[in-house]
Structure formats: structure tokens, C-alpha cells
Amino acid sequence: MPGSLRVSVDTGGTFTDVIAVDSASGDLYAVKTASDREDPSRALVTGVEKVLGLAGRGFDDVSLLVHGSTTATNAVLEHEFDGIGLLVTQGFRHLIEIARQSVPDGYGNSFFWVKPPRLVPLHLVREVPERILYDGAVARELDEEAVVAAAEELVAEGVNRLAVCLLHSYANPDHERRIGELLAARFPELFVSLSSVVLPEYREYERAMTTLLDVMVKPYCRTYLGNAEAELTRRAGPRPFLIMQSNGGVVTAKAAGERPVNMLLSGPAGGVLGAIEAARAAGITDIITLDVGGTSTDVALIEDLTIRLTSESIIESYPVKIPMIDIATVGTGGGSLAWVGPNQSLKVGPRSAGAVPGPIAYGRGGTEPTVTDAATVLNRFPASLVGGELVLDRDSARAAFEEFGRRFGLDADEAAAGVLEVAAAGQVAGIRQVSTSKGRDPAAYTLVAFGGAGPLLAAQVADFLGMTRVLVPPYPGNLSAFGLQVTDIKRDLVRTYVSPLEPRVAADLDVIWRELEQAGAAELRNEGVGDDDVEVVRGADARYVGEGYEVAVSVPVGLTGREALDATVAAFHAEHHRIYGFSYDGTQDVEVVNLRVQAVGRLHRPPHRSRHEAAGAPPAPAVRDIYWPGQGWRSCPVHDRSTLAPGATVVGPGVVEEYGATVVVPPGWQLTCDPAANLILTKG
């Protein structure tokens, strides 16, 4: 019989974080282990073994395992694009090259902007004779011999992952499905993604890019998820193994492997859920999350503790059009490499040292300085990390920064401080994507910092943005894993339907929503969710007639006919005003583009409590010399977080250390411990 432990695992580029919660007692256990880039399943199983050892339990005591990962995200950030090919409709070979013919925001003069590396080069794109019209009618039948010939050419050129994106396949997927059958029969070893399966929506460019990203990460995700599930089953017997999706919900490992693009923000989604729980406990409703791992930083803006989904997201300049929590990702993390850019400029990321070889200070063969090495040089970190398991080689890190600093005429301390400042600036850029670029002043929000390196630079990031309050939750290094404990099973379904929102289409809306709801409920039943635990959420992508982009809105499920249509229009006007500060209610017609349904299978949430609760008078803090820009080396208090009781105060400069993270309190900041064991940093 399954036991009472719910285990959640978040795999990052450097560390794999694990949380176990006893659903009977609420006891919580947290561990970290090094990630394994070649096969993340090995680190996943090692982490589960480690947390079970801490809890004094065995695999038989596991009742459920939930997993989130940044494996897919990191592959995109580090441009691992080799071996990808693309099949398109004849005449559309330059689909990816043409893109949107626009320069991203922030590049006022297009002369300075350089297109990002292509996911697939032009010589690996092949055209397929066929044509489907916008209404699904077949204008030209599929040439099956040409499909096989094109695939043979691509495989001969080294393609092992093939995306298929035909014109208007969202309206009629028959040609893409047939291509999938031909490829499976002729090239069973080839990883294939069909746009009509990945993203059955209009807009060929975004659909193609999303499908390319899906097939890009499919070998990583499908293989390691299968390995992990097989090993866990061998040790524990059949157990539910659920995978976090970018929308903040979970699906079975098999379903995740079929559409791994939905895992792109899997780990970060768990972090947002965990941050919301921490903010709720602190009585704070409006937050900006700062999740800093080894390779990347993920940020999200949350108002009224409510997650907002988007279907328009960018990951490292690449559009991803799937329902996901509105998270911005930048390639700056604890393991990000420092390097010299054009005109002797100091750059940090997006390349990362990863877990192996890792930063120089880890002593595993790393040779290039990283953000972690910079913090080590400045004595921000203790002598060892992760509870003493990882001893830092401070001398090697300093020697590397002495050499690195000479390129800029700086000593090791100044160079290391410069790397931290550039890294913080990169994180600020991510926050501005979700705040100022959308009309939100970050100073009005609380910064929730977590991840292994989040609390390291949080106050410095807040200073950049004029923010005056930072919240660091319990177990910040494992918060994304904790967030996996407070989620539900979710499936998102969509159908393109472009039409003015007029009374004549009310019946069509009802039919489409009802069909999507039935399909979503059936998928949840296949994953073991009872009918009583299923909820559905209706939505739509709408816009003013004449506009080119849409706004996603929610629609009450109980409404039908004209009431549902009117509610959709009203929700659109309100959401447009919330986002842009104005609306044309009563003066401009509205049209719908996509209809959506999210099917939710509610899961039990166990109680939880920290196993490290301060009691009695805290011991005197240790003292360590730490470097601060403009002030040099100063003797600073070093506190153990487990000794800080509610109400305890730390006046900067100083640091608070714990398993998995270090909280830096710069000069001019102070820290207090609140009743929920959150650490609250305030400016001044």
C-alpha cells in the first residue's frame, strides 16, 4: 500500500531540488543534489533517495511523485539546436526566415539588432506539395512520395528531430497526420512533432516556432521521463508520476512526453505557485517573483495572488504560443559565465557552467568565472554549500578573477563586484518585461526571491528598480519543488474560430466550448480523475476588429447563448482596460479568434510545516569579512536562519545562511522574520 509521503522534484541546470511532505503529520523535508545534464532521471532518483533518507523512510512510503524541470528551458537558452529539420507547405520555405519582420521592443534603432540563431537553418527546411485552405478545404492533395523523399534527404544531412507545419493545418489536420504516419513507418527512430497536435491555432510563424521548440526538447524530455518513471516503478511499484506544465497544472509523464513544449516553464511554474503560498502566509497580495537558478532567472508579476495565463510568451527571443503562466526568462543564473563582449564590455550569460563542470569554486574542472565564483570571491557565501556537501575553492575562484579583472584594469574584488552588478542588471531586464513594459511600476510590488541564487542579489535588484521590500520564503532554494505540492491536474484545449462577436454566432460558441469541455473531461478521466473532482474554465482570445493581436479572457461556465457572448465581450473590454489603461466599450466591435477550455482535476493538498523552528534565545551570530562596492571589506554578522525566531531583526550589512541559499542584506537594508517564518527585507 502507498505510504503518506508526497515527493516533489524540481530539476534545474545546476541542482535538483526535492521536497517531501508527510500528508498525515505535515512534516516537510528538503534536500538538493547535483543535476545530471546527460540524463536528468539519474539525479531525480538520487534526490528521491536522499530525501527519503532524511525522512527515515523508504520508497514504499511514497504515495505520489510530482516533477518539474528547467531541462527544456535551458536547452533553448543554450541554443542546443543541432539536428532539427522542418517540413512546410510548398512555397513557404522561408517561413522562419521572414518571421514577423519586426524588431523587438528595446531596440529603437534596428541597425544594432541581430536576429537570434535560427532554430532550423534554411538548408534543413523542405517544402511538401499540398495545400489546405483557411476553411479546411483541400485545394491540393498531399504528395506522399515527396514527403518521404524530403525526409530521406533531411535524415541523410543529420536531422534526428523533424517538425511539420503545414498551412492551415489547424483547420484540417489530415495532411499532417498522414505525414506523421509516413514518418513513423519509414523512420521510426525520428522524433516528430506535428503543429496540428502541438498548437492547433492559426498564425503559421508562431505555430511553426512552437512546434520546432517541441521537437527540439522531445528527445531530452521523453527519454528522461521514461527512464525516471521506469526506475521509480521498479523501486516503489506503480505510483502516480505527474509532470508540471507551464500552465501551473500537472499531467501524467506519458502525456508530458507527447507534448514536451508544455514543459518549457515547468520548473518556474512551480516556483510561482510556491511564491504565491509564501506571500499569502505573509499577508501580501501583489508580488513580483525572482527565481534564480543555476542557468536562468524567471520572473512573474502576480496581482491579488491570482495567476494570469498568457498564450503569447517569449523564451530567449523565440515565440512560444501555449497557455502558460506569464513568466519572463533571461539567461542569467548562479552558474552563468562571465565573459568579455564587444568593445571590452563585461557580459554575464546566457552560457552556463551547469552542474558539470560547474563554477570554478566547485572544484569539478570549471575554468571560466561565473556569478557563483564572484560571490565566493567577495565572501558572500560560506565555506561550503548545501549543508556542507559542496566545499568551495575560494583560492581558485580568486585566481580566476585576478586574471579576468586584468582585462578591464580591475582587481579581483572589483571585477567580481562588477559581475554581480551585471548579473543583477540582467535580472532587472527580465522584471521590466513583466512590469514596466506592461504599465506596472515594480516599486508598488514586493519582490519574492527564491531559487539557489535568488536571495543573493535580491536586494541589489530591488535597488535598481526602486523596490523597498523583499520577501524570502522558507526553503527558498527548494521553493519551486514545494510549489509542485500545491497544484492540480490541468489540460488546455483550444480551437481557432475567427468571427465578430455578434448574436448570430452565440450558438456556435456554445457548441465549440461544450465539445472542448467534453474532450478535456475525457482526458482527465483517462488520467484517473473522478468526475466529481473535475472543473472546467472557459476562455477566449478576443480583439477589437482591425487589431492584429488578442487579449485572453475568462468566461463564466454557467452561461450559454447570448448571455455567454455578452459576458465574453464585457470581459474583453475590462481586461483590455486593465492591461492598456483604456477600452472602446460601446464604440468598437469585438471579434473572437480562439476559444479555449481549461479542464482542472483537483488534487488533495497536504498540510505542511517547517521542521526547523527556532526556539529559545538565538546564539550570537558568527562574523565574516565581506566585500561591498564603495565600502571595501567589512566585518559582518553571519546568521543561521534556523535560529531566527519571528520578530528577529538583522541590520545590514550581513548575511543569513541556510541549506540551499544565502540571503544577502546589503548596507542600508534590514531584515525581519515574520510569524510565517518568511524573511522580510526592507530598505532603510
Side-chain angles (χ1 to χ4, degrees), residues 429-442:
I431 290 176
R432 285 177 173 154
Q433 288 182 42
V434 300
S435 59
T436 53
S437 67
K438 298 184 178 181
R440 300 293 187 273
D441 180 4

Side-chain angles (χ1 to χ4, degrees), residues 286 441-446 466-467:
D286 297 333
D441 180 4
Y445 297 78
T446 297
M467 304 176 76

Side-chain angles (χ1 to χ4, degrees), residues 190 201 587:
L190 194 65
E201 296 182 29
T587 62

Side-chain angles (χ1 to χ4, degrees), residues 204-224:
E204 264 58 46
Y205 172 64
E206 286 78 7
R207 180 153 52 86
M209 292 298 290
T210 304
T211 306
L212 282 166
L213 289 171
D214 183 81
V215 81
M216 172 193 163
V217 300
K218 190 167 280 185
Y220 305 102
C221 297
R222 182 183 288 177
T223 302
Y224 97 78

Side-chain angles (χ1 to χ4, degrees), residues 42-62:
R42 293 194 292 243
L44 186 153
V45 174
T46 298
V48 174
E49 289 177 333
K50 196 171 178 180
V51 80
L52 292 177
L54 178 63
R57 309 287 187 88
F59 275 89
D60 289 344
D61 292 303
V62 176

Side-chain angles (χ1 to χ4, degrees), residues 16 79 82 85 132 137 163 170 181 222 228 256 268 301 359 494 560 573 627:
T16 293
H79 300 165
D82 292 342
I132 290 175
Y170 61 88
E181 293 169 355
R222 182 183 288 177
L301 185 144
V494 61
T560 60
H573 288 308
Y627 182 90

Side-chain angles (χ1 to χ4, degrees), residues 147-153 155 182-192:
V147 170
V148 174
E152 287 177 343
E153 291 178 6
V155 170
L182 293 170
L183 295 176
R186 179 67 178 82
F187 307 99
E189 75 287 352
L190 194 65
F191 289 94
V192 177

